[in-house]
Amino acid sequence: MAEDHYDDLEIRSPDAREADLMAALVKQIAHAKTHSDWYARTLADIDPREITNRQALAALPVTRKSSLIEAQRSAPPLAGLNATDVGDLALVFTSPGPIFEAMGDRKDYYSGARSVYAAGLRKSDIVHNSFSYHLTPGAWIFHSAARTVGCPVIPAGIGNSEQQAQVMAHFKPKGHAGTPDYLKTLLEKGDELGLDLTSVKSAVVGAGPLFPPLRDWYAARGIQVFNTFGTAELGIVAYETTAQNGMVIVEDKIVEILVPGTSEPVKNIGDVGELVVTLLSPEVPLIRFATGDLTALTDKASPCGRTNYRMLGWMGRADQTTKIRGMFVHPQQIADVIKRHPAILKARLVVDAVDGKDVPTLRVESTTSDHSFENAIAETFQTVCKVRSAIEFVDAGSLPNDGKIIDDIRVHE
């Protein structure tokens, strides 16, 4: 194993990884169905032995975050998603919604150690953790990651930047974990107080946008920043490496990119869609958990040597629901219209306003130059969406690959 890699799993062949993941998936489906009330119900008609590839996985129901709020109210505390008794878990949390989560006792529970290691942090390097330790999992994701690598952690949390800067000056941490902008706050407070905070060389960040000017600001101070993507339910899903060209998917999660508003995978690697993740951990075995976030994947080799898919950044939210003439229109309805007309390659609903009136237009890429089925599309749209829309045919390939099915361009005051 090269020192630059956490273990040999990161540099195995893609075929070997896929075989390992699919073998683990069969066991996870069986485990979830046997030990989780939620999946015993939702997977009642599924034979785990048949879920041996991505096509079979794609036929399983999606678990949507939005559905958990009411489910957990009806069946507290976790709506039966847990496959481990609550009393045997290590920590329990709440996130906005509210949605309730749990953490098991297993080492590196949130799969964050790879992100810390990829950021150049090693055993005995002190990490200053400014994620919140209060009720939410954020701080614990990076706390457990750093401890797995062997790094002592300063459990700073949020707030009291003056005291945090003083603690940093005393312990001289090499690493920092937090939101992209908070380290800047601490460094500026250190400057104000005349403190030496130059020990910080590496920052692992998440839970917010990392804009290029901010990355450059840190670089000017000798700090390399490594972005991550994760959620309270899933932990770390992907992380940046020294290559800084996308975020590598962690080794113990299966990711899919779905056409927004559907449960169907996009046709091609590189197409933008909703990120959906299947956990292979036993405590809370989430199957096809929809994050609501848009992204795309690449399978091209990374200069860092890691061979897994890479996530090409955060590209917006998948929930593009909008209201037109008093009626809510959802992405899945547009997907339904597309499915009913095989000649439609791709479509996007553009919603504008003229003189205060909503003007929806369904822009359509077609397999044929014969557009005689325009009226049929319009009728289907009205049937499915309960509102009328103009139909506009556009050249094949002209609609952007950005994951948008509904593009609301109205100016909202």
Side-chain angles (χ1 to χ4, degrees):
M1 180 186 71
E3 185 181 347
D4 289 341
H5 304 122
Y6 185 74
D7 58 24
D8 288 338
L9 294 179
E10 295 182 345
I11 54 176
R12 58 184 157 166
S13 74
D15 287 345
R17 175 180 294 108
E18 188 71 2
D20 290 344
L21 289 175
M22 293 303 108
L25 176 63
V26 173
K27 296 177 182 178
Q28 183 71 329
I29 298 296
H31 171 74
K33 187 174 178 179
T34 302
H35 297 285
S36 159
D37 291 343
W38 178 284
Y39 289 110
R41 185 171 61 254
T42 60
L43 302 179
D45 298 327
I46 300 298
D47 183 348
R49 295 170 297 181
E50 296 178 354
I51 313 302
T52 59
N53 54 51
R54 289 180 181 267
Q55 291 73 25
L57 176 61
L60 300 183
V62 171
T63 300
R64 295 205 169 271
K65 193 169 184 174
S66 57
S67 68
L68 299 186
I69 299 174
E70 184 55 40
Q72 290 182 340
R73 284 186 186 136
S74 301
L78 299 173
L81 281 164
N82 52 301
T84 299
D85 289 342
V86 173
D88 292 328
L89 296 168
L91 296 170
V92 289
F93 306 100
T94 180
S95 294
I99 294 175
F100 300 93
E101 299 101 4
M103 173 181 170
D105 257 332
R106 185 168 37 83
K107 189 176 183 180
D108 194 28
Y109 179 81
Y110 291 110
S111 307
R114 296 180 188 280
S115 67
V116 170
Y117 197 91
L121 297 169
R122 300 293 183 267
K123 180 177 172 59
S124 301
D125 290 334
I126 297 174
V127 174
H128 183 271
N129 187 2
S130 67
F131 278 106
S132 175
Y133 280 84
H134 180 64
L135 288 179
T136 62
W140 295 99
I141 292 173
F142 292 93
H143 184 112
S144 61
R147 290 301 303 129
T148 299
V149 173
C151 300
V153 178
I154 302 171
I158 293 292
N160 202 341
S161 59
E162 180 171 329
Q163 184 179 20
Q164 289 205 42
Q166 290 169 342
V167 170
M168 291 171 73
H170 180 82
F171 281 109
K172 300 192 180 307
K174 179 181 178 180
H176 178 268
T179 57
D181 57 348
Y182 194 63
L183 176 57
K184 183 173 185 287
T185 297
L186 296 177
L187 295 175
E188 289 176 335
K189 178 58 70 172
D191 292 343
E192 178 187 322
L193 299 173
L195 300 173
D196 179 6
L197 303 185
T198 57
S199 66
V200 179
K201 300 299 180 186
S202 180
V204 184
V205 302
L210 173 59
F211 297 112
L214 184 57
R215 194 192 287 270
D216 293 342
W217 188 91
Y218 287 127
R221 297 185 68 129
I223 300 170
Q224 190 168 12
V225 181
F226 297 83
N227 206 359
T228 63
F229 177 87
T231 75
E233 301 80 15
L234 300 169
I236 298 299
V237 175
Y239 58 96
E240 262 189 332
T241 71
T242 51
Q244 307 259 289
N245 62 345
M247 290 180 276
V248 178
I249 303 299
V250 298
E251 295 295 327
D252 62 347
K253 293 180 173 68
I254 299 172
V255 299
E256 302 172 84
I257 305 296
L258 305 188
V259 176
T262 77
S263 61
E264 300 173 4
V266 295
K267 292 180 180 179
N268 306 300
I269 292 289
D271 286 352
V272 177
E274 182 178 11
L275 178 69
V276 169
V277 181
T278 294
L279 290 185
L280 296 176
S281 52
E283 296 88 349
V284 184
L286 294 173
I287 310 296
R288 303 197 83 202
F289 184 78
T291 64
D293 294 295
L294 293 176
T295 190
L297 300 179
T298 179
D299 58 359
K300 295 179 180 178
S302 172
C304 72
R306 291 170 179 83
T307 56
N308 207 348
Y309 290 107
R310 280 175 290 131
M311 176 179 161
L312 300 178
W314 183 81
M315 300 177 181
R317 292 292 294 171
D319 183 8
Q320 300 157 31
T321 298
T322 192
K323 185 180 282 188
I324 304 172
R325 301 171 193 153
M327 297 295 297
F328 281 107
V329 177
H330 305 273
Q332 55 265 39
Q333 291 174 298
I334 308 305
D336 188 17
V337 172
I338 295 171
K339 288 174 69 174
R340 297 191 189 194
H341 296 276
I344 297 180
L345 282 171
K346 189 176 181 181
R348 172 191 296 230
L349 179 65
V350 179
V351 187
D352 202 352
V354 176
D355 296 330
K357 296 181 179 179
D358 296 337
V359 181
T361 302
L362 187 68
R363 292 180 179 166
V364 175
E365 294 182 13
S366 173
T367 60
T368 174
S369 59
D370 179 5
H371 298 162
S372 59
F373 66 114
E374 177 180 340
N375 289 339
I377 298 174
E379 290 174 5
T380 301
F381 187 97
Q382 185 175 4
T383 298
V384 172
C385 301
K386 312 304 180 189
V387 293
R388 292 181 182 275
S389 174
I391 308 299
E392 177 187 338
F393 287 93
V394 298
D395 293 338
S398 63
L399 294 177
N401 176 30
D402 57 7
K404 283 188 177 181
I405 289 182
I406 300 176
D407 189 10
D408 190 344
I409 61 174
R410 294 171 293 186
V411 177
H412 297 276
E413 297 183 356

